[in-house]
Amino acid sequence: MTKKYKVVGIGNAVVDVLTVADDSFLEMMGIEKGIMQLVERDRAEVLYGSMKERKQAAGGSVANTLAGIGKLGLPTGFVGRVHDDALGHFYADAMEMDGTRFINPPVPGGELPTSRSMIFVSPDGERSMNTYLGISAELGSEDVDPDVAADSEIVFLEGYLFDKDKGKDAFIAMAQACRTAGGLAGIAISDPFCVERHRDDFLSLIENDLDYVIGNEEEIRSLFQTDDMEDAIAKTAAICPMVVCTRSGDGVAILANGERVDVAVERIVPVDATGAGDGFAAGFLYGLAIGADMRTCGEMGCVIAGEVIRHIGPRADRNLLALLRDKGLV
């Protein structure tokens, strides 16, 4: 039976607000370069007011991935939580315009506004993210429609949401509803520090409720507290059928059902590294959804990630399907 969605994701619904800023500006504003840090509402308002020539987009890690898959022509949906305010409606409308159904309507009432991340991009491409989580961090199992999860071939979870018990409950509800209906469920680890805080729960989720896991070297190593990359990949593969480890300029390692594939990547100097991992996941999951082999899935991911980092912002602007055709991947 054909399902309504190829991929449904669940994650933080965050409006990305980007601007270019040099190191002296970062120092003046007390912004730590090259990392993502959480900020409170007052700090968020100060940083927002300091930004000139802002570029605004519907963001959040999984949302960026879904937008890429939607642009590639597959039906996608996003489970996220936004407030019934101007930014919330902007977010929902922007997701729909990018080809992804925003499944949950903006939430009326309540005190928390729609989440936003102020991203300062340095001339060397480093991104300094200052994220106010707002209402998105309150997402829970009550926001998950099991019928939507069951009507998806693949569900994709965002590790950032794992910091609250209600987020964990939402993940388990989403994954189990999808898998019970014959679909695949997986996660982007998102943050090694989140793993440090919730390692046992992460490992339990991966082993018991997921079919694939995507993470970079630091994130995969953090699962088993080891500096040995190969050991970390092997241990993750022992509890999950598919492990995808992105290794920056060293390419991608994929272990699926006991077989390993290593995919090389084109080395380029990024204009803006924002969203590179999200773009990789978009290409990889697109390949998975259309039944491509693991090497092709990895190559698709690398091509989309490479396109994302060639410009300011977390999403590629050009025709992604045409790009994959140019590379001989579809």
Side-chain angles (χ1 to χ4, degrees), residues 12-16 57-60 63 82 91 114-117 131-133 136:
N12 280 309
V14 182
V15 177
D16 283 338
V82 298
Y91 191 97
T114 296
S115 310
R116 73 288 309 267
S117 181
T131 302
Y132 169 62
L133 291 178
S136 70

Side-chain angles (χ1 to χ4, degrees), residues 141-327:
S141 57
E142 69 274 12
D143 296 299
V144 174
D145 183 342
D147 291 336
V148 170
D151 212 11
S152 176
E153 293 184 13
I154 299 170
V155 297
F156 188 44
L157 317 175
E158 179 180 314
Y160 286 126
L161 270 178
F162 219 64
D163 262 327
K164 290 195 174 184
D165 287 341
K166 57 173 56 179
K168 297 174 187 178
D169 293 340
F171 279 7
I172 292 171
M174 191 89 173
Q176 290 182 349
C178 176
R179 298 180 88 205
T180 298
L184 299 176
I187 193 170
I189 297 176
S190 301
D191 181 12
F193 300 109
C194 189
V195 175
E196 293 288 339
R197 294 188 291 269
H198 308 282
R199 182 172 289 105
D200 289 344
D201 287 342
F202 253 109
L203 292 174
S204 176
L205 178 74
I206 291 169
E207 183 170 11
N208 298 310
D209 295 297
L210 300 183
D211 302 288
Y212 65 90
V213 58
I214 300 174
N216 62 29
E217 291 179 275
E218 189 176 3
E219 292 161 356
I220 297 292
R221 286 199 304 266
S222 69
L223 287 172
F224 293 96
Q225 297 176 279
T226 176
D227 292 328
D228 187 328
M229 189 67 248
E230 294 302 320
D231 181 51
I233 293 174
K235 286 181 176 177
T236 309
I239 64 170
C240 188
M242 185 185 303
V243 181
V244 184
C245 180
T246 59
R247 310 179 70 176
S248 190
D250 293 327
V252 180
I254 304 169
L255 272 74
N257 299 313
E259 296 187 8
R260 173 156 178 164
V261 174
D262 288 284
V263 180
V265 65
E266 177 187 2
R267 290 178 177 267
I268 62 173
V269 177
V271 173
D272 173 17
T274 309
D278 308 336
F280 173 84
F284 183 86
L285 293 178
Y286 172 79
L288 193 63
I290 66 172
D293 61 71
M294 287 296 100
R295 179 170 297 282
T296 301
C297 289
E299 290 175 347
M300 287 178 170
C302 290
V303 167
I304 303 302
E307 182 62 26
V308 167
I309 66 175
R310 283 179 164 88
H311 72 284
I312 297 291
R315 301 181 183 180
D317 293 328
R318 65 178 292 185
N319 185 319
L320 298 182
L321 194 57
L323 178 63
L324 294 184
R325 287 198 186 102
D326 290 344
K327 299 293 185 180

